[in-house]
Amino acid sequence: MCCVGGVGSCSDTGKSGACGTMLEEETDQTYENVLAEIQSFELPIEATLRSVYDDQPNAHKKFMEKLDACIRNHDKEIEKMCNFHHQGFVDAITELLKVRTDAEKLKVQVTDTNRRFQDAGKEVIVHTEDIIRCRIQQRNITTVVEKLQLCLPVLEMYSKLKEQMSAKRYYSALKTMEQLENVYFPWVSQYRFCQLMIENLPKLREDIKEISMSDLKDFLESIRKHSDKIGETAMKQAQHQKTFSVSLQKQNKMKFGKNMYINHDRIPEERNETVLKHSLEEEDENEEEVLTVQDLVDFSPVYRCLHIYSVLGDEETFENYYRKQRKKQARLVLQPQSNMHETVDGYRRYFTQIVGFFVVEDHILHVTQGLVTRAYTDELWNMALSKIIAVLRAHSGYGFPVNRLFDLLFEIRDQYNETLLKKWAGVFRDIFEEDNYSPIPIVNEEEYKIVISKFPFQDPDLEKQSFPKKFPMSQSVPHIYIQVKEFIYASLKFSESLHRSSTEIDDMLRKSTNLLLTRTLSSCLLNLIRKPHIGLTELVQIIINTTHLEQACKYLEDFITNITNISQETVHTTRLYGLSTFKDARHAAEGEIYTKLNQKIDEFVQLADYDWTMSEPDGRASGYLMDLINFLRSIFQVFTHLPTNNSDHAAMSGKVAQTACMSACQHLSTSLMQMLLDSELKQISMGAVQQFNLDVIQCELFASSEPVPGFQGDTLQLAFIDLRQLLDLFMVWDWSTYLADYGQPASKYLRVNPNTALTLLEKMKDTSKKNNIFAQFRKNDRDKQKLIETVVKQLRSLVNGMSQHT
């Protein structure tokens, strides 16, 4: 029992120890888990601690022992880790202590850099905001430009419409309205101004209709009043054609001018007949130049009104109105005056009115489509015939005077002379176009005699010269002389059939020749002189040509005297006015020479490119000025070396050259002065003044080199005296002398105007201020600035005093 019990006891005891060990192991594991949970912080600590205290007694003590053991383990690990990392920590602290000073410096630098960066950033922000505003403005401007580009064509067309209305170009205005409505208005229909334009167009169309109808009424009233003149001109034209036919039949019977001389050499009668025949043939060819109804009547109101009503779609209204009014006028024209049968003039006026009426209607019939028809004119003609027959039956008689017929012939003669003048105007123009404007070269005696036979030229010096040689005039001179004589022939052939006395015929010829010289030839010469392609040398040759034509006028008077046998000493003999004609042409040519030369100078001056703010001059004259001076030298050399054969021509060429040279220098001086005083030029530096002075020195050297002989002393240099005194004043800065001597006759700067000096000084004052930003810190600059301001004040006082005195 004991054994069993002992064994059993032992057995129980062994089990009890094993069970205690197992319980202790479980408890330790539980505490380990609790500690692990506490360290993990994943579960609430309250629940974990409660589980420790609720499980077993004395659990708190055991847990605290485990906790202390865990803490000691962690302390050991921390100590090991600290021991392991202690040296590195010490080194790190040492390094930190070393870099602390550098860090503080870096902090200061970073702080300063940050401050400066912030300051710079403020300006960037301002500029950025400006850029944003500019971008917005640019976008707005682009939008506005696009809209304006869309509107501009419309506005331009509407402006064109207004101009056409102002210029009374109504047909073009209607076409412009159509373009506006069909093309341009749809682009900008959303704008209010477009709606206003659209609303205004109908009113403009009505205005055009009213104006064109008013013009038509004025036209109808005018042709009603002047029907007799129109008819008279048409009858003169028919008579003119008949007169030419009669003249051609009589040309072989005409004999006159048997005693004509040219250069004291008799011209054979056979040559005279040939010249007369040639002249008559030329007159026959000139029939087309006789005045027509288009020359006498301006039909533009009819055409314009017809076109306007056609465009407006109301052509029928216009045609009916025109025909109705013309029928009323036809009845008035066909109604004779009560005293018509008493004089020939009454009949003449009656029939010329009828002829004038139908001349107008015939013209309208042929130049318009549908306004007047053939049936309409036939109806009017039949009505006129019946009325004319009735008038003649009622008022016919005999024994009328014929004096009026001779008056009519004289009127026709005047018209004939006008036709001749028109024809010879074309002849003169052709001669001038074909001329080379150089002296006539001759290589032998035969050529010399040919020229002498055409033109009365006498020069003993030229005769003595050996061949080859040159006449002073150009080819146009003998051709003009021949054509003037041909004109005299043509004028004579009509006058000789009027059965007038030789004195009257002589007077007629001289008056006609005077008209040819003073009106036709003079006009052709003036037009020639003003042509752009006529150069300076050509103008000088024209001056020489007019001199010889003037000298030849006395031979033309002898020519007329030999034809009519009327002495020039007769009291009532008309003299030829060649002297005044060619003198005026010479003056015009000289004036054109001076004008063209000044224009050329202006072209060179426009090439000037001064740097008005330069600090130092280039040391040499400007290129444009040297080119200009070389040009002037070459031109004046041409003037002074023109081929002349006597002292008169040389003196004339020299006078023209001298006047042109003086005019050129004065114009150049004025242009340079205007360049300095130009209101658009705001600043001039002293360096620019010195450079300008170099250019003026070259001008003075040119003037002193005597480019044209004959000037006395320093006459030519005086053209630049104003510039010279002004520049000297600024170059030497001699203001005290200028202000002290101002107004004195012996003043060194007598030609310097205070206003001019003030203008230039103010330009230099502005330059001094802007170019010397730190001038206020330098005593010399301050003194100079004060001096300038003092002189400016004194000059202003002078200018104000002059204004008050004036």
Side-chain angles (χ1 to χ4, degrees):
M1 286 296 291
C2 290
C3 290
V4 173
V7 173
S9 178
C10 292
S11 174
D12 291 337
T13 301
K15 289 180 179 179
S16 177
C19 291
T21 301
M22 292 177 62
L23 288 173
E24 290 177 357
E25 292 177 354
E26 290 177 359
T27 300
D28 293 339
Q29 184 63 40
T30 299
Y31 291 157
E32 292 291 338
N33 292 335
V34 171
L35 291 174
E37 290 176 1
I38 292 172
Q39 294 181 27
S40 65
F41 296 101
E42 294 180 356
L43 294 175
I45 298 177
E46 294 85 356
T48 303
L49 294 176
R50 191 180 297 114
S51 64
V52 173
Y53 290 102
D54 292 345
D55 289 345
Q56 296 178 6
N58 299 323
H60 174 264
K61 182 178 180 181
K62 293 179 180 181
F63 175 72
M64 291 303 295
E65 292 175 355
K66 284 292 185 180
L67 182 59
D68 290 338
C70 182
I71 290 173
R72 286 192 296 271
N73 290 334
H74 281 300
D75 288 340
K76 290 179 181 180
E77 291 177 358
I78 290 172
E79 184 177 358
K80 289 179 182 180
M81 184 177 294
C82 288
N83 291 333
F84 179 77
H85 292 288
H86 178 264
Q87 187 62 39
F89 176 75
V90 172
D91 295 339
I93 293 299
T94 303
E95 291 295 329
L96 286 174
L97 292 174
K98 291 180 179 180
V99 300
R100 181 171 62 180
T101 303
D102 295 336
E104 291 176 352
K105 294 180 179 179
L106 180 60
K107 179 182 178 181
V108 173
Q109 292 178 354
V110 169
T111 302
D112 184 63
T113 302
N114 179 66
R115 180 183 57 76
R116 288 189 282 107
F117 183 75
Q118 293 296 330
D119 294 341
K122 293 179 182 178
E123 186 175 357
V124 172
I125 291 172
V126 172
H127 288 303
T128 303
E129 292 174 353
D130 292 341
I131 291 174
I132 293 173
R133 285 196 299 271
C134 289
R135 292 283 173 81
I136 294 173
Q137 292 176 357
Q138 185 177 13
R139 184 174 66 249
N140 293 340
I141 290 172
T142 303
T143 303
V144 171
V145 168
E146 291 176 354
K147 298 300 182 182
L148 286 177
Q149 287 177 344
L150 192 64
C151 297
L152 275 178
V154 181
L155 297 174
E156 289 174 354
M157 287 298 292
Y158 197 81
S159 176
K160 179 182 178 182
L161 171 62
K162 290 295 186 180
E163 292 175 358
Q164 290 169 342
M165 292 291 292
S166 301
K168 298 183 179 181
R169 297 167 53 199
Y170 302 119
Y171 181 76
S172 301
L174 290 174
K175 291 298 183 181
T176 303
M177 290 183 195
E178 291 182 358
Q179 289 183 336
L180 283 170
E181 291 177 329
N182 299 329
V183 179
Y184 292 93
F185 282 164
W187 299 351
V188 293
S189 58
Q190 69 272 23
Y191 299 115
R192 185 170 177 271
F193 77 87
C194 179
Q195 297 301 324
L196 295 176
M197 291 180 182
I198 293 174
E199 294 171 1
N200 195 35
L201 290 189
K203 181 179 180 300
L204 292 177
R205 286 193 172 95
E206 289 300 320
D207 292 341
I208 290 175
K209 286 182 66 174
E210 293 176 2
I211 293 172
S212 61
M213 183 57 71
S214 176
D215 292 343
L216 177 66
K217 292 178 181 178
D218 294 339
F219 167 80
L220 294 175
E221 180 66 17
S222 176
I223 60 174
R224 185 188 68 80
K225 292 181 179 179
H226 300 95
S227 294
D228 55 338
K229 293 182 180 179
I230 298 171
E232 184 177 355
T233 302
M235 295 172 68
K236 285 181 180 181
Q237 180 180 351
Q239 182 63 31
H240 186 83
Q241 294 175 349
K242 182 178 179 181
T243 302
F244 273 116
S245 299
V246 172
S247 299
L248 288 173
Q249 293 174 1
K250 293 182 178 180
Q251 62 178 327
N252 292 326
K253 300 179 182 180
M254 293 182 179
K255 302 291 183 179
F256 46 79
K258 297 181 179 180
N259 298 320
M260 292 183 296
Y261 290 87
I262 299 180
N263 288 328
H264 309 287
D265 293 330
R266 184 179 298 273
I267 298 178
E269 293 186 6
E270 291 80 10
R271 181 179 181 275
N272 184 28
E273 294 175 356
T274 303
V275 171
L276 178 59
K277 182 178 179 180
H278 175 67
S279 177
L280 290 170
E281 290 174 353
E282 287 183 344
E283 288 298 323
D284 187 60
E285 293 173 359
N286 198 41
E287 287 180 12
E288 298 180 356
E289 294 184 11
V290 178
L291 295 176
T292 62
V293 66
Q294 296 95 320
D295 301 323
L296 299 174
V297 181
D298 180 15
F299 288 92
S300 59
V302 180
Y303 306 150
R304 184 165 54 249
C305 197
L306 177 60
H307 291 159
I308 289 172
Y309 273 76
S310 299
V311 172
L312 296 175
D314 203 8
E315 185 176 1
E316 184 177 357
T317 301
F318 172 74
E319 292 176 359
N320 293 335
Y321 176 83
Y322 178 84
R323 294 179 185 179
K324 180 180 179 181
Q325 294 299 318
R326 288 298 281 167
K327 280 186 178 180
K328 290 182 179 179
Q329 291 184 353
R331 294 188 182 97
L332 292 175
V333 167
L334 294 172
Q335 185 66 34
Q337 296 181 359
S338 59
N339 60 345
M340 181 190 73
H341 63 284
E342 297 177 359
T343 61
V344 175
D345 188 70
Y347 278 96
R348 183 181 64 82
R349 180 176 177 81
Y350 177 74
F351 285 109
T352 54
Q353 286 181 343
I354 296 174
V355 171
F357 178 90
F358 282 99
V359 165
V360 172
E361 291 305 294
D362 183 74
H363 178 77
I364 294 293
L365 173 66
H366 287 89
V367 299
T368 60
Q369 296 180 354
L371 180 58
V372 174
T373 62
R374 177 60 66 183
Y376 167 78
T377 55
D378 290 342
E379 178 186 354
L380 291 178
W381 180 247
N382 291 332
M383 180 180 69
L385 286 178
S386 60
K387 186 67 176 177
I388 291 171
I389 292 173
V391 169
L392 290 177
R393 287 175 179 175
H395 299 284
S396 60
Y398 300 94
F400 296 112
V402 296
N403 292 333
R404 294 286 185 177
L405 295 177
F406 284 102
D407 295 337
L408 179 60
L409 289 176
F410 283 116
E411 292 179 8
I412 295 174
R413 182 206 62 194
D414 295 338
Q415 294 295 329
Y416 173 76
N417 284 334
E418 289 295 328
T419 303
L420 291 181
L421 292 174
K422 288 184 179 180
K423 175 184 176 181
W424 257 261
V427 172
F428 291 151
R429 285 194 296 268
D430 293 340
I431 291 174
F432 290 141
E433 289 293 333
E434 296 172 359
D435 196 5
N436 59 5
Y437 298 101
S438 59
I440 303 175
I442 47 177
V443 297
N444 52 45
E445 185 70 25
E446 182 179 358
E447 292 182 358
Y448 182 84
K449 290 182 178 180
I450 291 175
V451 176
I452 291 300
S453 66
K454 295 178 180 179
F455 183 76
F457 180 82
Q458 295 179 353
D459 187 354
D461 295 334
L462 182 62
E463 292 178 1
K464 296 176 182 178
Q465 294 179 12
S466 58
F467 294 101
K469 51 189 175 182
K470 294 180 179 180
F471 283 96
M473 65 279 187
S474 63
Q475 288 285 355
S476 62
V477 173
H479 292 164
I480 291 293
Y481 182 79
I482 292 174
Q483 287 301 321
V484 172
K485 292 196 299 182
E486 293 290 341
F487 175 86
I488 295 172
Y489 280 128
S491 181
L492 173 66
K493 73 178 181 182
F494 186 89
S495 301
E496 61 111 19
S497 299
L498 297 179
H499 304 288
R500 294 292 178 176
S501 64
S502 299
T503 302
E504 291 176 316
I505 292 177
D506 181 87
D507 185 65
M508 293 176 188
L509 291 180
R510 293 179 184 273
K511 288 181 179 179
S512 299
T513 306
N514 275 330
L515 284 176
L516 180 72
L517 296 176
T518 59
R519 194 171 74 182
T520 304
L521 182 56
S522 176
S523 177
C524 292
L525 279 170
L526 293 178
N527 291 334
L528 171 67
I529 290 169
R530 297 190 182 102
K531 285 187 176 181
H533 69 274
I534 297 297
L536 298 174
T537 55
E538 287 84 355
L539 289 171
V540 175
Q541 184 61 55
I542 290 173
I543 292 174
I544 296 174
N545 289 350
T546 55
T547 303
H548 289 283
L549 287 173
E550 177 185 337
Q551 295 172 354
C553 285
K554 63 180 181 180
Y555 296 99
L556 292 175
E557 290 184 337
D558 294 340
F559 179 73
I560 295 175
T561 299
N562 291 331
I563 292 176
T564 60
N565 292 322
I566 299 299
S567 174
Q568 299 181 33
E569 283 73 22
T570 303
V571 177
H572 300 291
T573 300
T574 303
R575 310 294 298 181
L576 295 184
Y577 301 144
L579 178 63
S580 60
T581 298
F582 298 116
K583 185 177 181 180
D584 293 341
R586 279 198 300 275
H587 289 167
E590 292 174 4
E592 194 68 19
I593 287 175
Y594 311 144
T595 300
K596 287 183 180 293
L597 195 57
N598 291 343
Q599 289 175 351
K600 198 67 178 178
I601 292 173
D602 291 339
E603 293 177 5
F604 278 99
V605 172
Q606 289 174 1
L607 299 176
D609 187 19
Y610 288 101
D611 180 6
W612 296 108
T613 59
M614 62 169 54
S615 58
E616 296 292 335
D618 293 338
R620 61 180 181 276
S622 302
Y624 85 94
L625 189 72
M626 298 307 300
D627 293 340
L628 171 58
I629 290 175
N630 292 333
F631 166 76
L632 292 177
R633 289 187 189 278
S634 62
I635 287 296
F636 294 137
Q637 285 178 358
V638 172
F639 281 5
T640 55
H641 291 84
L642 285 173
T644 56
N645 297 290
N646 56 45
S647 57
D648 292 338
H649 294 151
M652 180 176 59
S653 300
K655 180 182 178 182
V656 172
Q658 289 176 8
T659 308
C661 186
M662 176 58 73
S663 174
C665 290
Q666 291 174 344
H667 185 74
L668 176 57
S669 177
T670 302
S671 300
L672 292 176
M673 182 68 79
Q674 290 175 351
M675 189 185 303
L676 275 179
L677 304 179
D678 188 1
S679 59
E680 296 182 0
L681 178 59
K682 304 300 182 184
Q683 301 178 26
I684 301 178
S685 66
M686 181 54 72
V689 172
Q690 294 171 350
Q691 178 64 41
F692 201 82
N693 183 60
L694 292 176
D695 293 345
V696 175
I697 290 174
Q698 289 298 324
C699 295
E700 292 171 329
L701 291 175
F702 167 73
S704 63
S705 65
E706 198 175 8
V708 174
F711 285 107
Q712 296 180 356
D714 56 352
T715 302
L716 198 56
Q717 292 93 307
L718 292 177
F720 301 97
I721 187 64
D722 292 355
L723 271 174
R724 170 47 51 215
Q725 290 188 6
L726 179 65
L727 291 174
D728 284 348
L729 176 60
F730 279 84
M731 293 292 292
V732 300
W733 211 249
D734 194 9
W735 292 106
S736 59
T737 302
Y738 174 72
L739 294 172
D741 296 345
Y742 176 73
Q744 300 298 324
S747 174
K748 181 180 179 181
Y749 305 103
L750 181 63
R751 305 298 295 270
V752 178
N753 186 286
N755 199 8
T756 302
L758 176 61
T759 301
L760 185 57
L761 189 59
E762 287 181 334
K763 296 176 187 289
M764 296 184 68
K765 180 182 71 173
D766 293 341
T767 304
S768 177
K769 286 183 178 180
K770 295 184 178 181
N771 290 347
N772 296 290
I773 301 176
F774 302 103
Q776 56 183 337
F777 302 110
R778 295 195 296 266
K779 185 176 184 302
N780 292 337
D781 293 329
R782 290 200 309 271
D783 294 343
K784 181 178 180 181
Q785 191 64 33
K786 289 180 179 178
L787 175 60
I788 292 177
E789 292 175 355
T790 302
V791 174
V792 167
K793 290 180 181 179
Q794 293 178 347
L795 288 175
R796 284 177 181 167
S797 300
L798 283 178
V799 172
N800 294 333
M802 292 170 59
S803 300
Q804 293 174 1
H805 179 71
T806 303

